[in-house]
């Protein structure tokens, strides 16, 4: 296993179209996070899962966004009726819950770059 | 005011210089403090983390946390051109909770 993978790496779409991204976490990582990063900014939290349960959603996650992790393994992030403001890098991260502390490192994938025309 | 403030730079230094990067934050509930490095078109990778206050050293990197001042720093000694990247500070209240990132500081180390 070589880390967190995300597909596609790049997506260009027209405004109003729906898009779906996929994230495959590191095996046995039970926590999975989605972040969004725009140019010149740090990643911003969108949502996260523990196994298949979605535990928290940011206010950034409007009702056009939906995320799933149906079997506690891979996750999908869907954006409906895309807007130009959705153009960003969408990053997925996973971690293994070993209790708190220590810090459970979040390993990031390479991201999916979305461009909405 | 954002929860985490970080000067975006860019910062340009000659090879071999000591680099100082820092962030300030406003949320006193933060207990975990991380530094991530991000190369262009890649995801962030963890460099160091510190739990609560104190210093931590790992090779050429030293992380410092001053919770009383709500201020964290990363020092890079003997900087190398391969250190050229964007450095992101990140914080969280728990070891498994979502991270709050700074904007990132873009560093260039010139040979």
């Amino acid at each position: 296993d070589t880390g967190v993978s995300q597909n596609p790496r790049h997506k260009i779409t027209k405004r109003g179209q729906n898009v779906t991204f996929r994230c495959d976490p590191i095996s046995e990582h039970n926590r999975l996070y989605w972040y969004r990063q725009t140019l010149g900014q740090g990643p911003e939290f969108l949502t996260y899962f523990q196994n298949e349960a979605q535990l928290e959603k940011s206010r950034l996650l409007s009702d056009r966004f939906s995320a799933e992790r149906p079997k506690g393994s891979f996750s999908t992030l869907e954006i409906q009726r895309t807007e130009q403001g959705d153009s960003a890098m969408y990053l997925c991260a996973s971690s293994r819950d070993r209790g708190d502390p220590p810090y459970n490192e979040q390993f990031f994938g390479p991201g999916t770059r979305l461009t909405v025309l | 005011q954002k929860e985490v403030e970080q000067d975006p730079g860019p910062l340009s230094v000659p090879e071999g210089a000591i680099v100082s990067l820092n962030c300030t934050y406003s949320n006193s509930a933060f207990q975990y403090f991380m530094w991530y490095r991000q190369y262009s078109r890649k995801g962030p990778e963890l460099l160091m983390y510190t739990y609560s206050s104190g210093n931590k050293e790992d090779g050429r990197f030293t992380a410092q946390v001053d919770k009383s001042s709500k201020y964290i720093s990363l020092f890079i000694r003997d900087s190398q051109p391969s250190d050229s990247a964007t450095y992101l500070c990140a914080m969280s209240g728990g070891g498994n909770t979502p991270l709050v990132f700074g904007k990132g500081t873009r560093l260039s180390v010139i040979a």
Side-chain angles (χ1 to χ4, degrees):
Chain A
D1 187 282
T2 55
V4 179
S5 62
Q6 293 187 245
N7 287 289
R9 294 292 308 277
H10 304 276
K11 180 71 177 178
I12 300 174
T13 191
K14 292 183 179 178
R15 191 177 53 187
Q17 298 294 304
N18 299 344
V19 294
T20 300
F21 311 140
R22 176 177 170 130
C23 171
D24 287 89
I26 294 171
S27 299
E28 299 178 356
H29 277 195
N30 57 344
R31 293 228 173 186
L32 187 149
Y33 307 79
W34 285 99
Y35 294 85
R36 180 174 71 186
Q37 186 175 25
T38 54
L39 201 61
Q41 302 294 318
E44 294 177 294
F45 166 71
L46 292 177
T47 188
Y48 83 104
F49 295 82
Q50 177 164 316
N51 301 312
E52 65 275 10
Q54 190 172 17
L55 294 189
E56 187 176 341
K57 292 192 283 187
S58 158
R59 59 177 173 76
L60 291 177
L61 211 69
S62 76
D63 55 8
R64 296 185 298 106
F65 288 69
S66 62
E68 292 183 344
R69 195 182 183 200
K71 296 181 181 178
S73 56
F74 73 91
S75 175
T76 58
L77 178 68
E78 181 184 16
I79 309 175
Q80 296 183 326
R81 305 181 303 280
T82 52
E83 302 172 355
Q84 288 183 323
D86 297 331
S87 295
M89 174 82 87
Y90 289 84
L91 291 162
C92 175
S94 70
S95 70
R96 189 173 191 175
D97 186 354
R98 296 176 293 156
D100 177 359
Y103 171 64
N104 298 285
E105 180 180 351
Q106 292 184 28
F107 292 83
F108 281 81
T112 295
R113 184 172 297 278
L114 172 66
T115 302
V116 181
L117 302 175
Chain B
Q1 182 191 9
K2 294 197 76 172
E3 275 192 292
V4 180
E5 299 279 359
Q6 183 177 11
D7 186 339
L11 183 61
S12 185
V13 301
E15 183 176 358
I18 296 175
V19 176
S20 172
L21 305 167
N22 54 73
C23 291
T24 58
Y25 64 95
S26 57
N27 189 343
S28 57
F30 289 144
Q31 293 285 338
Y32 293 84
F33 304 91
M34 281 68 72
W35 286 95
Y36 278 81
R37 178 173 61 195
Q38 186 174 28
Y39 292 111
S40 182
R41 301 190 182 278
K42 304 276 189 182
E45 57 176 335
L46 181 69
L47 274 177
M48 300 184 71
Y49 87 91
T50 308
Y51 174 59
S52 193
S53 283
N55 295 355
K56 192 171 185 178
E57 189 172 319
D58 184 3
R60 297 185 294 112
F61 299 89
T62 299
Q64 291 184 348
V65 174
D66 182 349
K67 289 188 72 180
S68 62
S69 303
K70 296 190 176 68
Y71 186 90
I72 72 169
S73 301
L74 177 71
F75 298 95
I76 307 174
R77 291 182 297 280
D78 187 24
S79 55
Q80 303 294 310
S82 58
D83 294 328
S84 298
T86 296
Y87 289 80
L88 297 155
C89 64
M91 308 174 190
S92 67
N96 270 306
T97 52
L99 301 175
V100 181
F101 283 88
K103 276 189 176 184
T105 299
R106 195 165 145 198
L107 172 67
S108 294
V109 181
I110 311 300

